Amino acid sequence: MYDVIVVGARISGASTAMLLSKAGHRVLLLDRAVFPGGKAAATNLVHPPGILRLKKWGLLDELTATGCPPIREYGLQSGPARLMAELPSVEGVNEAYSPERSRLDQILLDAAVKAGAELRTGVSLRSLLTDEHGTVTGVRGETEDRTPVIEHARLVVGADGSNSTVARLVDAEKYDAHPVLNKSHWSYWEGLPHDGRVRTYRHAHKHAFTWPTHDGLTIVGVALPVADFKAKSDEDRDRTVISAFEEVDPARAELLRQTKRADRWMTGSVPNFLRRSDGPGWALVGDAGYTRDPITAAGITDALRSAELLSEAVDAGLTGRRPLPEALASYGRQRDALVSGHYRYTRDHATIANHSREEIAFIRAMTRSPTHGRDMVGMFATMIHPSQFYSAANIHALLDHLEPGAGPGWKLRMVRWLVRGAPRHVPPAPRVADRLIAKNLGPMGPYLA
């Protein structure tokens, strides 16, 4: 009899198993894959909140020992607006990393086993065991040679991805669900200079991106609306991606032409949804409970944070500090509170809508502000909540950094007058101004409204 069975041994599953084992619980970790093996298709980026967890868990040194370079600046270019800013700090951590997934998976898996988790690979889940009340009490699976596996536990955790078998077997309902909004091509490039920066570009309904990763390589890719995406040969994709950079950053496009792609092109797209993440005898963690578009590259960071949240709740339930059902329900609420704002921000970002003149003026103002640019990239990195960034007070402060003269356009000049008070002693009307700003902030306007 185990305390917890975790199904899925990659980022969220290995982290959950490690944390619960460290807390003294008997944990069985199952995966249908046989490690090392199976290459996860991911852009690898781990934002500072994820790096903070690895540091707390004593694993950051192992990650940096792989030679993966730190990333300390994120940027966005849209039309004439070019923003590049240092990441804010979270508990002393202000760097991101983009490690090779197989190495990060192995670091977490080794840590789970070292902490005491029992690992069994090559085991596929077939069904869940339940008692007469419908409470999940264990798993039924089989090995690759069809040997039956039956184990019991006080809790079964599904960490088996967005197509989670555990979620299907418990009929965990989805909510706030949205379809695939874009598809992306990405690959690894060799020979590009590493400067510790994430670069993203928005132009003509294209989202190009690049940042340094492992082994001297660089991630290079572009996301396109679903209707514009075409699966082509690798050579055609070379031209598609390089042309996307040519339109916004000709110097980087020339660097791509002078160097070479080091791997095949990969294709990615995911739907957007939240799932109910707890029930009698079961819980979901990572992508099994919540999946959002990869355009903000937050999947690994979210997996690490949700593993920490779930482990704390399960430990409280198993040790009797709280009834286990109550602890799991609390985890579900905390998970939603943590991710819902960024889920909405990511979903809107993933439409790849061109920025309006007013939005571009705001981005340019962020480059003139000592704090707004940093906070903008911090929002992309899941460090600053969108409702905090798009608060009335923060946007009013940003108005002070708009370009002088006619540059921002008549709409924003009028808004600035309404917030600060127009000439000839006309009193300010900030509520009217906020409604006008919200109308011109694109998908993020509702935060201010």
Side-chain angles (χ1 to χ4, degrees):
M1 176 80 172
Y2 294 91
D3 294 314
V4 181
I5 296 174
V6 180
V7 180
R10 295 194 184 272
I11 299 291
S12 58
S15 299
T16 302
M18 175 196 67
L19 293 170
L20 289 173
S21 296
K22 282 186 174 181
H25 303 293
R26 189 174 181 222
V27 179
L28 173 61
L29 182 58
L30 301 176
D31 202 292
R32 64 184 180 184
V34 176
F35 297 99
K39 185 177 181 180
T43 52
N44 307 340
L45 192 60
V46 188
H47 298 309
I51 298 302
L52 173 62
R53 269 72 190 174
L54 296 176
K55 181 179 179 181
K56 284 182 175 179
W57 303 340
L59 302 176
L60 182 55
D61 287 346
E62 291 187 50
L63 186 150
T64 59
T66 67
C68 186
I71 299 171
R72 293 191 170 90
E73 294 183 73
Y74 285 15
L76 167 66
Q77 181 175 331
S78 180
R82 299 188 178 196
L83 170 67
M84 182 63 69
E86 290 186 357
L87 288 163
S89 177
V90 52
E91 296 184 38
V93 173
N94 66 343
E95 70 269 10
Y97 288 87
S98 181
E100 184 183 15
R101 265 301 303 273
S102 61
R103 296 184 196 178
L104 180 58
D105 287 348
Q106 197 63 52
I107 287 171
L108 289 164
L109 193 60
D110 290 346
V113 173
K114 183 178 179 181
E118 179 184 338
L119 173 65
R120 294 192 212 170
T121 61
V123 176
S124 297
L125 177 66
R126 298 304 182 204
S127 62
L128 297 173
L129 307 176
T130 58
D131 64 15
E132 65 274 16
H133 305 294
T135 298
V136 174
T137 59
V139 299
R140 180 181 287 109
E142 62 181 19
T143 63
E144 291 180 316
D145 63 1
R146 301 294 180 89
T147 301
V149 174
I150 297 175
E151 298 292 353
H152 295 81
R154 296 175 64 184
L155 180 72
V156 173
V157 172
D160 47 345
S162 58
N163 295 317
S164 168
T165 299
V166 174
R168 176 177 57 80
L169 292 173
V170 299
D171 197 23
E173 66 271 23
K174 294 180 180 179
Y175 52 98
D176 201 3
H178 299 266
V180 170
L181 297 171
N182 66 73
K183 294 185 177 182
S184 56
H185 304 293
W186 80 92
S187 189
Y188 298 102
W189 225 264
E190 62 182 6
L192 292 173
H194 281 213
D195 58 2
R197 290 178 167 183
V198 166
R199 289 178 170 85
T200 64
Y201 306 85
R202 179 63 56 88
H203 176 73
H205 300 285
K206 299 173 186 175
H207 174 87
F209 54 90
T210 178
W211 57 78
T213 184
H214 56 84
D215 298 324
L217 301 174
T218 300
I219 292 278
V220 176
V222 64
L224 303 165
V226 173
D228 297 338
F229 185 91
K230 295 178 177 61
K232 302 178 178 179
S233 68
D234 278 0
E235 292 72 21
D236 284 337
R237 297 189 204 198
D238 290 344
R239 289 187 285 271
T240 296
V241 173
I242 292 175
S243 69
F245 280 89
E246 180 68 50
E247 294 169 9
V248 290
D249 192 343
R252 183 117 327 231
E254 184 58 30
L255 281 173
L256 291 173
R257 290 192 187 95
Q258 293 173 2
T259 52
K260 65 178 182 178
R261 177 169 45 83
D263 202 345
R264 62 183 175 86
W265 283 107
M266 289 165 278
T267 298
S269 64
V270 298
N272 302 267
F273 63 84
L274 292 95
R275 272 195 185 111
R276 180 185 173 189
S277 289
D278 66 277
W282 61 269
L284 303 176
V285 69
D287 283 349
Y290 152 71
T291 296
R292 59 167 154 157
D293 193 280
I295 201 164
T296 50
I300 297 174
T301 303
D302 285 345
L304 296 170
R305 294 198 299 179
S306 63
E308 182 180 64
L309 277 180
L310 177 60
S311 300
E312 290 171 352
V314 172
D315 181 57
L318 294 180
T319 57
R321 300 197 306 276
R322 298 181 71 177
L324 183 57
E326 179 185 302
L328 293 177
S330 176
Y331 156 70
R333 292 190 297 271
Q334 286 181 297
R335 193 282 311 267
D336 280 8
L338 176 68
V339 306
S340 58
H342 284 102
Y343 172 74
R344 178 178 166 189
Y345 164 74
T346 299
R347 189 189 69 213
D348 294 335
H349 204 61
T351 62
I352 318 184
N354 291 338
H355 289 121
S356 67
R357 177 178 179 177
E358 289 73 30
E359 289 174 287
I360 289 174
F362 273 125
I363 296 170
R364 295 182 78 165
M366 292 172 203
T367 69
R368 302 161 64 92
S369 165
T371 59
H372 286 86
R374 179 201 63 200
D375 289 349
M376 176 68 167
V377 300
M379 181 171 61
F380 183 91
T382 73
M383 305 168 75
I384 306 291
H385 196 281
S387 62
Q388 175 187 342
F389 185 83
Y390 288 106
S391 68
N394 200 46
I395 296 300
H396 291 177
L398 181 59
L399 292 172
D400 292 336
H401 299 282
L402 290 172
E403 291 177 299
W410 68 269
K411 288 183 181 180
L412 290 184
R413 295 202 308 276
M414 181 178 67
V415 163
R416 185 164 51 191
W417 289 341
L418 289 169
V419 170
R420 302 302 183 210
R424 299 183 182 179
H425 308 291
V426 176
R431 290 186 181 179
V432 175
D434 290 344
R435 287 196 291 270
L436 290 172
I437 296 171
K439 278 190 172 183
N440 290 280
L441 272 179
M444 289 293 97
Y447 275 110
L448 190 59

